[in-house]
Amino acid sequence: MLLSWSLGLVFIWSQLETVCAFTQYLLKDCKQAGFCHRNRHYAEEIQKSERSYYSIDADNVYYDENEKVVRATILKTIFQGDNRNNEQKVELPFTLGLLQDGATVRFTIDENRPHKNYLPSSLNQRRYNEASKWAFEDWQNLPKYEATMRKGFLNRNKVIVEGDCDYICKLKVELYTKSFLIKIYYKEALIMVVNERSLLNYEHLRAEQENESNLLLEESDFNMFHDNFKYSKDDTMPFGPESVALDFTFSEFEHLYGLPEHPGSFRLQDTSNGEPYRLYSTDVFRYDIGTRMPMYGNIPFVIGNNQRAAAGIFWVNAADTWVDFKYTRDAKKTPKSQSHWMSETGIIDVVLFFGDTPSEITEKYTAITGRPALPKQAAIGYHQCRWNYNDELDVLTVDSSMDRDHFPYDNIWLDLEYTDNKKFFTWKPNAFPNPDRLLKKLAKLGRDLTVLIDPHLKAGYNVSNAVVADHAAIKNHEGDTFYGTCWPGKSVWIDTMGDIGRKLWAKFYEAFLNGAKNLDIWNDMNEPSIFDGPETTAPKDLIHAGGFEQRALHNVYPLTVHQATYDGMINIFNESSRPFIIARGHFSGSQRTAGTWTGDNVANWDYLKISIPMILSSNVAGMPFTGADIAGFFDNPEDELVVRWYQAGLWYPFFRAHAHIDSLRREPYLFEEPIKSHIRNAIQLRYNLLPTFYTAFYEASIDGTPIMKPMVFEKPEFLDLALVEDQFYLGNSGLVVKPIVEKDAVSTTMLVAEGLYYDYWDLRPYRGGTIIPDDEFVENLPALTFNVKPIRVNAPLDKIPILLEGGHIISKREKYRRSSKLSRNDAYTLVVAPDNYGNAEGKLYADDGETLAHKHGEYLLSTFTMQNNELLTGHPTHNTLNKASLGNTLIDKIIIASSTMKSPPKDTVTVKKGLSRYAVKAVRTGPYETTIFNPLVHADETWEIDF
């Protein structure tokens, strides 16, 4: 015990030290991980032998009218070599049904397990099948779709499941029984094949002495009952081998995205000659760029698309998981994307989504896992953080200094050191003697304070004592309270998987918040991070409520922590305040209650560059409220990097600066000119565009639309854009951004679909495909289709490359205010960018910015439209009688990109509102724009302006 404690202290010190890179040796690779090694081996051998061990008794397949699913039993046949005289049959119950609009398929494969007397009584012997309970928003009331089932007439080995087939079957599922196989057709085209390569592998329950007679010829027995990895040799592995694996083939697809979070490219890489992607929540400070190593959060969701259709896989499993990808082509050069999913335990529970576009797949996925929560408006502003602001005076000094130098911000953060001796739910008495006073001072300027609260609790104080006494702590494999090492030293961990733990966690918040609505919560280290645990996280044989091992639910535990925080805050404030929670560890469904960030990055250009594809991947996987620490958590960034990181970071949905305790102070006001002004301009641009950002957040909360949207999601028919990961759209706004992520760059090239675009800064028009005279540059461009065009944009240090696509209207507020709350009484500015036909459209969302009243209809959604360069209209598509909740809705300026119009607006234009009709001035305010000043129209009323 003394040795373990000493090692823990050494590890804590190593975490405090600045190190060159992540200690990769702490993590397993696939060859060291028993189930990954075994499944890769099985995949290789089964394709050589071409045997089939899994089948369905076709005579016993039936359609359950009550549950609207096909039911059957998959039989796993075990025999040694070709000797079938001593066969064993393992029964694997199978269900398959249609969801949503009939173009979504869910199937499950479970195991009928005999009771084993040798297993500890503290363990639940059934396979863990509750990942969906946490990942799905309403797991008990999924939108099931009535299907029809029939047996194949010519092929009796086939069962056909279809939805509505009045004209063309939107989706047809063919289930093959002789050798388990599923083919799925969307709009009559084969789009996905399940188990095409026969990689289905279901390691059934058996005792160690029974193992030899239960092995298939193609299987390896590597680490089936023991773990020889250096840091996890103590794993008791009571169930032995119980991994599940399956392969999926996307037909005619060559691009796959998603599977956050990994510090790699947006398009998922082929893993044939390297490590698979690993999904396993762990604490990886200073993670390595370009690896497929595990990270803090894990969303087992992948999307692919071609020019005609899109599809997605949601692997509903919370255990340690590895995924292989392979891009290949058949003899006719037709592409296909293959994936192989392997989890250590749990059941096979898969949801497959099909549609016309990748955005439709994200919409369907978030319809099941929950829409991203609409945060309070202050959460969308700028956040100032470091580890640590030392005391109340330090916080107020930062606050006043930001005001003095005109840097708007909404939220200041306190890291670990604000606590009393690292005891969460406490304040350090000498540093923060009166938290209520501090919170009230910040509230006067519309600002929030966010504080760190982690699930590890220092042993021996009132909070942790209550957790132990109420049996709400995670248990060790013997059923006693588990103690491990984290920041406070010896600690216990709250078990938020169980009702008792969640209720107790909420109770702690009630006392701590003390009614302060501007006190927000940061659930860090919730993977959980355990310094003396294997792979810097929890031993896999820990036991949670319900008798389930950590092994089975590891990746969903982080979600339960922040969801319990959210539920507690909702109960405390009773809808009068939207909880703002940021959590490092996350899973599918986390978007309902929290945002996240990319963790402990480093202040260098490579980490700035990789932040964009990382955040894009989270956005397409339903977790849009994501950011990266500006300008790197570790180390001290050079001035140019700081500027460029702020210019990139202002587009992150979660916009926060953060720094390590050993780094130099780098609050924006500490820089010399012109760096200080460049940073100020970047932050101010975020505040100018808050109406557009807030509208994007609203749309994400309605249909899951990415806020930082990949180019290929906006233009899915232009597949070349699938490889563009350094530029993006802001939601549906039409703003196209390419932050500068290279040192000394003063220009860049933006790749866009054909059409009309405008430079955001002066509305200079560009047509996709502007000629670039730099011959060397042209040679270095990727091969493009004739529909994808390059536009060369100047980008000195004081400029961000931004285009506004023709056909869009965006909203701004242009006055400087110290926080977003103080801007609510400012008027709006509209920017109108007509397309080639003189048409444009945009939306504006507004509500009270703080409460949950919007869920009861108290909000404004207004649509603005330009038609044929002649008529501009505003029309509320949803309004509220509580006008005070909307703030100021006046539109006092309308800027029109007029240089492409055949007939630009005259000196006066006519405004029509109800029975009123009056003229206002239109002024040519630049070579490319015309401005209508004071049109006296509001966003919450209907009006027209004739040019």
Side-chain angles (χ1 to χ4, degrees), residues 758 761-765 895-901 904 923-931:
Y758 301 87
W761 300 106
D762 61 6
L763 296 182
R764 176 195 301 266
I895 302 171
I896 302 168
S898 56
S899 63
T900 60
M901 299 170 66
V923 180
R924 188 80 174 201
T925 49
Y928 310 109
E929 67 180 40
T930 299
T931 302

Side-chain angles (χ1 to χ4, degrees), residues 289-300:
I289 290 175
T291 70
R292 298 156 197 155
M293 64 194 294
M295 293 279 285
Y296 317 97
N298 300 277
I299 301 179

Side-chain angles (χ1 to χ4, degrees), residues 335-525:
K336 62 180 178 180
S337 298
Q338 299 172 329
S339 65
H340 180 201
W341 299 69
M342 304 164 276
S343 290
E344 185 172 13
T345 184
I347 68 170
I348 292 179
D349 186 351
V350 181
V351 184
L352 304 175
F353 305 93
F354 303 94
D356 297 330
T357 67
S359 290
E360 187 179 341
I361 303 304
T362 299
E363 190 279 330
K364 290 184 173 189
Y365 165 77
T366 57
I368 286 179
T369 59
R371 306 298 191 196
L374 178 63
K376 54 185 173 183
Q377 188 166 297
I380 299 174
Y382 172 61
H383 299 251
Q384 183 62 52
C385 181
R386 76 171 277 111
W387 176 24
N388 202 84
Y389 292 125
N390 301 316
D391 51 31
E392 181 178 0
L393 178 60
D394 196 2
V395 171
L396 294 176
T397 299
V398 172
D399 179 76
S400 61
S401 299
M402 293 288 282
D403 284 345
R404 180 197 64 214
D405 285 3
H406 295 92
F407 288 97
Y409 87 99
D410 274 80
N411 202 310
I412 191 164
W413 291 50
L414 295 177
D415 210 315
L416 179 66
E417 312 306 327
Y418 83 93
T419 61
D420 180 10
N421 199 24
K422 299 179 176 59
K423 293 179 290 188
F424 294 114
F425 300 101
T426 70
W427 299 84
K428 186 181 291 184
N430 295 333
F432 297 96
N434 193 337
D436 289 345
R437 177 179 62 197
L438 174 60
L439 287 160
K440 287 175 181 176
K441 287 180 180 179
L442 293 171
K444 287 182 180 179
L445 298 174
R447 290 174 176 147
D448 285 18
L449 178 71
T450 297
V451 298
L452 186 81
I453 293 184
D454 296 348
H456 60 268
L457 303 168
K458 183 172 183 170
Y461 79 113
N462 64 313
V463 172
S464 58
N465 289 342
V467 169
V468 173
D470 287 1
H471 303 285
I474 299 175
K475 306 297 192 295
N476 63 24
H477 70 273
E478 294 177 338
D480 301 320
T481 297
F482 168 74
Y483 291 92
T485 306
C486 205
W487 292 124
K490 185 178 180 181
S491 303
V492 300
W493 273 259
I494 186 77
D495 185 4
T496 45
M497 302 294 301
D499 290 339
I500 296 173
R502 290 196 300 277
K503 290 176 182 177
L504 194 57
W505 194 242
K507 183 179 177 181
F508 296 150
Y509 280 107
E510 186 172 6
F512 181 72
L513 292 171
N514 194 27
K517 295 180 181 179
N518 67 327
L519 182 56
D520 303 320
I521 302 301
W522 176 14
N523 288 149
D524 195 10
M525 315 286 284

Side-chain angles (χ1 to χ4, degrees), residues 54-90:
Y54 297 88
S55 62
I56 294 176
D57 182 353
D59 293 333
N60 292 319
V61 179
Y62 69 97
Y63 186 75
D64 184 330
E65 297 285 352
N66 293 325
E67 295 296 322
K68 298 182 180 178
V69 295
V70 173
R71 293 191 181 276
T73 299
I74 297 175
L75 299 175
K76 177 183 179 181
T77 304
I78 304 166
F79 54 88
Q80 300 298 307
D82 293 320
N83 179 10
R84 295 179 178 267
N85 295 326
N86 190 24
E87 290 184 353
Q88 299 182 57
K89 300 283 187 180
V90 178

Side-chain angles (χ1 to χ4, degrees), residues 694-906:
Y694 200 41
T695 301
F697 272 88
Y698 163 74
E699 290 174 331
S701 75
I702 296 301
D703 59 16
T705 297
I707 296 169
M708 250 177 75
K709 184 190 291 187
M711 300 295 291
V712 72
F713 271 59
E714 181 73 7
K715 308 286 184 182
E717 66 273 28
F718 300 95
L719 286 181
D720 285 335
L721 294 176
L723 301 177
V724 177
E725 62 179 18
D726 56 357
Q727 65 181 56
F728 48 85
Y729 279 84
L730 171 57
N732 297 324
S733 69
L735 286 168
V736 189
V737 186
K738 184 177 182 180
I740 298 299
V741 295
E742 302 286 348
K743 182 178 172 60
D744 297 329
V746 293
S747 65
T748 191
T749 297
M750 302 179 71
L751 297 178
V752 296
E754 58 185 356
L756 180 59
Y757 297 82
Y758 301 87
D759 190 302
Y760 172 83
W761 300 106
D762 61 6
L763 296 182
R764 176 195 301 266
Y766 294 94
R767 300 197 181 272
T770 298
I771 296 175
I772 304 171
D774 186 340
D775 292 337
E776 180 181 355
F777 174 78
V778 172
E779 291 177 0
N780 291 330
L781 276 177
L784 304 173
T785 65
F786 66 91
N787 285 325
V788 176
K789 310 293 184 180
I791 294 178
R792 192 70 163 171
V793 180
N794 289 328
L797 192 57
D798 63 347
K799 183 181 179 183
I800 309 168
I802 311 170
L803 300 176
L804 178 56
E805 185 179 11
H808 292 84
I809 300 173
I810 62 170
S811 306
K812 303 195 296 181
R813 275 179 165 145
E814 297 185 307
K815 290 184 179 179
Y816 164 76
R817 299 295 182 190
R818 290 186 284 191
S819 67
S820 64
K821 190 171 184 178
L822 299 182
S823 71
R824 289 182 53 78
N825 292 321
D826 293 337
Y828 291 103
T829 294
L830 300 184
V831 180
V832 182
D835 63 15
N836 285 317
Y837 304 99
N839 300 322
E841 183 173 295
K843 293 182 179 180
L844 172 66
Y845 174 83
D847 59 21
D848 65 24
E850 296 182 19
T851 76
L852 291 167
H854 65 285
K855 290 183 173 290
H856 307 295
E858 286 194 18
Y859 67 89
L860 167 69
L861 182 62
S862 195
T863 299
F864 309 112
T865 305
M866 172 176 269
Q867 296 174 310
N868 301 320
N869 289 325
E870 296 174 352
L871 181 67
L872 181 65
T873 63
H875 175 66
T877 54
H878 181 90
N879 218 330
T880 176
L881 295 175
N882 184 11
K883 301 295 186 181
S885 68
L886 303 178
N888 190 358
T889 60
L890 176 67
I891 299 168
D892 70 350
K893 187 191 298 184
I894 300 173
I895 302 171
I896 302 168
S898 56
S899 63
T900 60
M901 299 170 66
K902 292 181 180 179
S903 301
K906 302 179 177 63

